[in-house]
C-alpha cells in the first residue's frame, strides 16, 4: 500500500522522472484489508489495485527481493544485481511475528499476504476446528471470518483481555464478551507451549490443557521488515523501525521511509509514533511525494486512524490515547453501539467508536483541531460531539 501510493502520489504531484516500484511478492500490487474478509471467505479472488501502472509510467519489478542498501554508491542490492537510485523510498512494511517452535509445522498459518489468505481459504471452506493464537485486531478479524464460515473457533490470548496492548482494560473488557456471544471460545491468561501436527493436531497450553486443532492461525503482532538494512548505516529505533523525521526523511541522504516500516515524531502527541495501519500507508506517501517534488514542506503529523470489522461490529479508532488524563463513555458498552473519548486537559486526543461512525467523524475533526470540549456534554451520547465544543 505505502509503496504503491508513493509512486502514484509522485505522478499526481508532477514528478516526471522515472519511477521504479520493487516488491518481493510476485502478485500485482494489492490492498490488504480484504485479506481477512472477502478473500478469506472466498467472496473475491484478489484485491489488486485498479491502477494502470504502465499509463502512469511506473515500472513494476515484482518477485524481486532487495537484500541491501549502499548509500555511498546510491544503490540497492537485489537478487538480480544492483539498482541505482537518485531518491529512495523505503516501504517494506512489517512481517508477522511467528510463534516460537512452529516454523514449518504443518497446519500453522500466518495472515499477512495474499498467499496466506489463499492457503487459509480451504480451512474455512472445510469448516475445520481452528485455534487462533492472539486476540489482537488480526486475531479478532480472523475469528470473525472463521465463525461466519461455520468453523469451531478457540482464541488463545496470553494477556487477561483481548486487545491488551492496544486498549486500556476497561475499554477492552466489554469486547471480550463479543467472542462467546458469537460462538467463539476466548481463553485468556493462556500461553501456548507447543503445537503438535496431526489430523487433527493439538495445541498444548502451558497449564497442560490440550486443544484439538485442524489449523492454527497466529496473530501475535508484527515487526518492521528492516533486517535487510543491517550494515547500511541507517538509523533504526529499538522496535526495528526506521527513524524517519517529521518529513519522513531517514538518517541517510535522499532516502525516505513510509508506512509500517517507519516511525516518525509527532508534535501533536509529543512522542515518536509507529503506526501499523492502512490510513498511515495512504497519508504518509502523499507527504513523501510532496517532500521529494518540493510541492509542500509541512511536517507529517497525522491523527492516526484505523478500523476493524469483528463479530458484526464496525470498530473505528482515531488518535493516540497514551497521554490522556480523562476517559469519557458515550453510551453503554453492553449495547450494540457506544464510544469512548479520551481527553488531555479537556482537549480530545483519541476516540474509539463501536457502531457510531458519526462520533468517529466528528471526534476526528475535534482531535485534528485540538478543540476543548465540555466533558459533561461530550459524555452524553445524545449530544453530537461537534455540539460539545466549549
Amino acid at each position: 500500500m505505502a509503496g504503491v501510493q508513493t509512486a502514484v502520489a509522485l505522478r499526481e504531484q508532477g514528478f516526471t522522472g522515472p519511477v521504479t516500484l520493487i516488491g518481493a511478492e510476485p502478485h500485482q500490487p494489492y490492498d490488504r484489508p480484504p485479506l481477512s474478509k472477502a478473500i478469506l471467505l472466498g467472496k473475491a479472488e484478489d484485491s489488486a489495485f485498479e491502477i494502470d501502472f504502465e499509463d502512469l509510467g511506473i515500472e513494476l519489478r515484482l518477485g524481486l527481493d532487495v537484500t541491501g542498501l549502499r548509500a555511498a554508491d546510491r544503490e540497492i542490492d537485489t537478487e538480480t544485481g544492483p539498482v541505482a537510485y537518485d531518491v529512495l523510498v523505503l516501504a517494506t512494511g512489517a512481517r508477522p511475528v511467528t510463534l516460537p517452535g512452529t516454523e514449518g509445522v504443518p497446519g500453522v498459518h500466518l495472515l499477512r499476504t495474499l498467499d496466506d489468505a489463499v492457503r487459509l481459504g480451504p480451512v474455512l471452506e472445510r469448516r475445520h476446528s481452528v485455534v487462533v493464537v492472539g486476540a489482537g485486531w488480526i486475531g479478532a478479524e480472523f475469528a470473525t471470518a472463521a465463525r461466519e464460515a461455520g468453523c469451531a473457533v478457540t482464541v488463545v490470548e496470553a494477556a487477561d483481555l483481548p486487545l491488551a496492548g492496544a486498549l486500556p482494560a476497561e475499554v477492552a473488557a466489554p469486547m471480550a464478551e463479543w467472542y462467546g456471544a458469537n460462538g467463539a471460545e476466548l481463553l485468556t491468561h493462556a500461553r501456548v507451549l507447543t503445537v503438535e501436527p496431526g489430523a487433527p493436531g493439538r495445541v498444548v497450553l502451558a497449564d497442560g490443557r490440550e486443544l484439538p486443532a485442524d489449523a492454527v492461525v497466529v496473530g501475535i503482532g508484527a515487526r518492521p521488515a528492516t533486517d535487510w538494512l543491517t550494515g547500511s548505516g541507517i538509523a533504526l529505533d529499538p522496535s526495528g523501525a526506521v527513524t524517519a523525521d517529521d518529513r519522513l526523511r531517514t538518517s541517510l541522504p535522499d532516502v525516505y521511509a513510509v508506512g509500517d516500516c517507519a516511525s516518525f515524531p509527532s508534535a501533536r502527541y509529543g512522542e515518536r509514533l509507529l503506526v501499523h495501519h492502512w490510513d498511515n500507508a495512504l497519508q504518509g506517501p502523499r507527504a513523501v511525494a510532496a517532500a521529494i517534488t518540493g510541492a509542500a514542506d509541512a511536517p507529517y503529523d497525522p491523527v492516526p486512524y484505523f478500523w476493524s470489522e469483528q463479530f458484526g461490529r464496525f470498530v473505528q479508532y482515531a488518535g493516540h490515547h497514551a497521554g490522556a488524563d480523562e476517559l469519557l463513555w458515550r453510551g453503554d458498552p453492553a449495547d450494540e453501539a457506544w464510544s469512548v473519548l479520551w481527553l488531555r486537559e479537556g482537549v480530545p486526543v483519541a476516540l474509539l467508536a463501536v457502531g457510531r461512525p458519526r462520533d468517529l467523524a466528528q471526534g476526528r475533526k475535534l482531535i485534528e483541531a485540538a478543540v476543548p470540549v465540555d466533558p459533561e456534554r461530550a459524555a452524553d451520547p445524545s449530544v453530537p460531539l461537534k455540539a460539545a465544543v466549549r
Side-chain angles (χ1 to χ4, degrees), residues 246-261:
D246 63 359
R247 268 68 174 177
L248 299 178
R249 298 171 296 209
T250 74
S251 60
L252 297 177
D254 297 314
V255 179
Y256 296 77
V258 68
D260 291 4
C261 73

Side-chain angles (χ1 to χ4, degrees), residues 36 41 138-149 153 184 309-312:
S36 60
L41 291 167
I138 286 291
E141 291 202 357
F142 178 80
T144 299
R147 284 300 301 140
E148 186 176 331
V153 178
E309 296 175 44
Q310 46 186 277
F311 303 115

Side-chain angles (χ1 to χ4, degrees), residues 115-175:
D115 289 338
D116 292 337
V118 168
R119 278 191 290 268
L120 275 165
V123 171
L124 271 58
E125 285 176 18
R126 295 171 193 149
R127 298 186 176 181
H128 279 172
S129 62
V130 179
V131 171
V132 181
V133 183
W137 300 110
I138 286 291
E141 291 202 357
F142 178 80
T144 299
R147 284 300 301 140
E148 186 176 331
C151 297
V153 178
T154 303
V155 181
V156 176
E157 170 57 52
D160 57 353
L161 286 167
L163 296 167
L167 296 172
E170 61 189 300
V171 178
M175 296 174 159

Side-chain angles (χ1 to χ4, degrees), residues 161-162 167-175 326-329 333 338 340 342 352:
L161 286 167
L167 296 172
E170 61 189 300
V171 178
M175 296 174 159
E326 188 174 3
L327 184 154
L328 305 176
W329 287 91
W338 48 274
V340 173
W342 285 269
L352 175 82

Side-chain angles (χ1 to χ4, degrees), residues 23 33 67 82 124 135-137 142 156 176 193 203 254 268 270 274 279 306 318 337 339 384:
T67 57
L124 271 58
W137 300 110
F142 178 80
V156 176
L193 187 63
V203 175
D254 297 314
R268 182 191 305 277
L274 176 60
D279 192 63
F306 70 90
S339 298

Side-chain angles (χ1 to χ4, degrees), residues 11-163:
R11 291 298 188 228
E12 288 177 346
Q13 295 183 25
F15 182 77
T16 56
V19 174
T20 303
L21 186 60
I22 299 175
E25 292 186 67
H27 312 289
Q28 282 290 305
Y30 61 87
D31 206 5
R32 291 191 190 278
L35 299 184
S36 60
K37 305 173 184 74
I39 292 173
L40 197 57
L41 291 167
K43 297 177 181 178
E45 289 187 5
D46 64 40
S47 55
F49 291 111
E50 294 184 6
I51 296 169
D52 190 332
F53 292 101
E54 186 176 350
D55 186 59
L56 289 173
I58 297 168
E59 180 188 359
L60 292 182
R61 299 188 64 181
L62 305 176
L64 182 61
D65 258 324
V66 177
T67 57
L69 165 58
R70 291 176 288 108
D73 299 323
R74 288 183 174 262
E75 288 181 341
I76 53 173
D77 292 318
T78 77
E79 300 166 301
T80 59
V83 176
Y85 68 83
D86 294 312
V87 176
L88 177 66
V89 180
L90 310 178
T92 48
R95 288 199 178 93
V97 176
T98 57
L99 192 62
T102 64
E103 293 87 343
V105 175
V108 177
H109 301 263
L110 300 167
L111 181 52
R112 181 77 183 185
T113 67
L114 178 59
D115 289 338
D116 292 337
V118 168
R119 278 191 290 268
L120 275 165
V123 171
L124 271 58
E125 285 176 18
R126 295 171 193 149
R127 298 186 176 181
H128 279 172
S129 62
V130 179
V131 171
V132 181
V133 183
W137 300 110
I138 286 291
E141 291 202 357
F142 178 80
T144 299
R147 284 300 301 140
E148 186 176 331
C151 297
V153 178
T154 303
V155 181
V156 176
E157 170 57 52
D160 57 353
L161 286 167
L163 296 167

